[in-house]
Amino acid sequence: MALDPPTMLTISIALAAAASLYLAIEWRSIRESSLLFWSAGFATITVGSTLALLRGIGLLVVGIWFANGLLVLAHWFFLLGVARFTQARLSRAWYLIFGVWLALLLLPDEPSWSKIMLLANSALVALLSLRASFLLRPHGKSLSVGAVQLRYVLLVHGLFYVAKSITAVIPGTLIDLAAFRGEIIQISLVEGAMAIMLIALSMTGTERYRREKQIARLAERDPLTALYNRRALEARAPRLLAEMSSASPGALLLIDIDNFKLVNDLYGHTAGDRLLIALSEMIRAVLPKDALTARLGGDEFVILLSNASSARIDELGSALRKQFHDAASKTFITPEAVTLSIGANLFDRPPASLTALIEQSDAALYESKRGGRNRIHLVDRTVESGELLRAR
């Protein structure tokens, strides 16, 4: 089969329809709005390419003006999809593109009409493609290989249309949109089919990567507080623990809510959940940048510090206890105070394991509870102190 213009348009229709359907199915499963815009873009190309076939039977307004207008609209959908994907905000000035295209209706029907139409169409598609590529520039490396690929595919696609618009103004160039005549038109049909395939693959890979990242993030987060769960803590802690030394001691604080059951019994589990969320937000507020925190389960939380000292532990623990006590006492009236008990270990040598370290802090937490609750029980296992126990 010869790759004549109708054949190339038929191939483009099939590719665009398949891409639109696939992205729509993906959207139904993960509800990412960028997928919906990209699917709409390919659906628009499908309709536009179908209309372009009608110029062969003399329907020039539909087959040229509407078809090319839909090509511009499709790239506008692509730009909106990229903007949603990168969480960028587009200026309202981008809507003026449709005003420019409507103005082409006023063009006189003369030999230069095809060149002016091709120039305007190519310039608008180039502008939309290059803008979408630019939006992906700061995001590609951090998001995925697919985002990088999408950025460069849109960049090359946009530059092709820049060259196409320049060709349209070169004197003596044959351009006949009605009969698909002119070398630039033939090249454009081939490039269009290739671009549809590459853009579709890049968009699919980009969203798949982000979906996988979201799934991985959900798997390592506690669903209530959005802090790390124990599995994520166990995966991230070894690197931090390996850095502990006499010059940079570490500490693990195990935090438990005193009389938490009273809140659940008197006010319901929803109130208890609100209290857990409030504590997680307090921990985030005081957490140093070089620290890890997680919810182990129930009302137990853990903080892993580097560059720690007994003074730093006291300061952090006291701040948490005060904030929590003030918030809980104002919100929940209970027979016994709802407070925090903290068991802490200060060490300057990497422990045998995170589990062993948590067990040591759990023993310190038990001493804090036994000593009257609402206190910090610190075990200092640094070389200089030997093993110093202190509660306050």
Side-chain angles (χ1 to χ4, degrees), residues 6-207:
T7 300
M8 290 306 306
L9 280 174
T10 302
I11 293 173
S12 296
I13 291 168
L15 290 173
S20 176
L21 180 61
Y22 180 76
L23 290 169
I25 292 172
E26 286 286 290
W27 175 78
R28 284 175 61 88
S29 64
I30 61 176
R31 300 291 175 173
E32 286 287 351
S33 58
S34 55
L35 283 173
L36 190 60
F37 282 114
W38 291 337
S39 176
F42 284 116
T44 305
I45 289 176
T46 303
V47 176
S49 298
T50 303
L51 293 180
L53 289 172
L54 299 179
R55 71 183 73 176
I57 59 174
L59 298 177
L60 300 185
V61 174
V62 174
I64 297 177
W65 190 86
F66 276 101
N68 287 348
L70 289 177
L71 182 63
V72 174
L73 177 61
H75 285 79
W76 190 73
F77 278 132
F78 290 159
L79 176 59
L80 284 181
V82 171
R84 290 298 181 93
F85 178 78
T86 58
Q87 299 180 342
R89 188 179 296 275
L90 292 175
S91 167
R92 292 182 180 179
W94 287 98
Y95 291 86
L96 296 176
I97 284 176
F98 299 106
V100 173
W101 191 255
L102 288 172
L104 294 176
L105 279 174
L106 304 177
L107 287 175
D109 187 8
E110 57 183 32
S112 63
W113 186 86
S114 283
K115 283 199 170 188
I116 296 174
M117 174 66 76
L118 186 66
L119 172 62
N121 173 263
S122 300
L124 293 177
V125 170
L127 183 64
L128 293 164
S129 300
L130 293 175
R131 177 57 177 161
S133 176
F134 179 80
L135 289 179
L136 285 164
R137 181 173 57 86
H139 296 270
K141 185 175 181 180
S142 62
L143 288 177
S144 71
V145 173
V148 176
Q149 180 178 319
L150 178 58
R151 175 197 167 194
Y152 285 110
V153 169
L154 289 171
L155 176 62
V156 172
H157 186 60
L159 291 176
F160 173 82
Y161 271 86
V162 170
K164 187 176 173 181
S165 64
I166 294 173
T167 303
V169 298
I170 296 176
T173 304
L174 173 63
I175 296 174
D176 185 351
L177 295 180
F180 291 112
R181 288 197 300 159
E183 187 174 348
I184 187 62
I185 297 175
Q186 303 285 338
I187 295 173
S188 181
L189 290 171
V190 175
E191 189 276 341
M194 293 176 60
I196 289 171
M197 182 173 61
L198 291 174
I199 291 173
L201 290 173
S202 301
M203 288 175 173
T204 302
T206 298
E207 276 296 351

Side-chain angles (χ1 to χ4, degrees), residues 283-300:
I283 292 174
R284 284 194 189 92
V286 301
L287 193 70
K289 290 183 179 180
D290 56 351
L292 281 175
T293 187
R295 180 188 177 198
L296 294 185
D299 58 338
E300 276 197 338

Side-chain angles (χ1 to χ4, degrees), residues 249-251 307-318 344 346 376 378-380 382 385 388 390 392:
N307 297 312
S309 65
S310 58
R312 190 182 187 192
I313 294 170
D314 284 341
E315 180 182 0
L316 189 151
S318 297
L346 180 64
I376 304 170
L378 171 64
V379 179
D380 188 343
T382 57
S385 65
L388 177 63
R390 183 153 54 90
R392 55 171 298 183

Side-chain angles (χ1 to χ4, degrees), residues 240-306:
L240 195 62
L241 292 175
E243 297 173 356
M244 306 305 179
S245 65
S246 56
S248 177
L252 189 141
L253 284 69
L254 192 60
I255 304 165
D256 185 82
I257 302 177
D258 302 320
N259 301 312
F260 180 66
K261 187 174 183 298
L262 292 177
V263 176
N264 284 331
D265 292 344
L266 296 174
Y267 295 93
H269 288 278
T270 301
D273 288 346
R274 292 202 309 270
L275 188 60
L276 292 172
I277 293 170
L279 176 55
S280 70
E281 292 172 350
M282 293 175 195
I283 292 174
R284 284 194 189 92
V286 301
L287 193 70
K289 290 183 179 180
D290 56 351
L292 281 175
T293 187
R295 180 188 177 198
L296 294 185
D299 58 338
E300 276 197 338
F301 296 78
V302 65
I303 297 176
L304 184 59
L305 297 174
S306 60

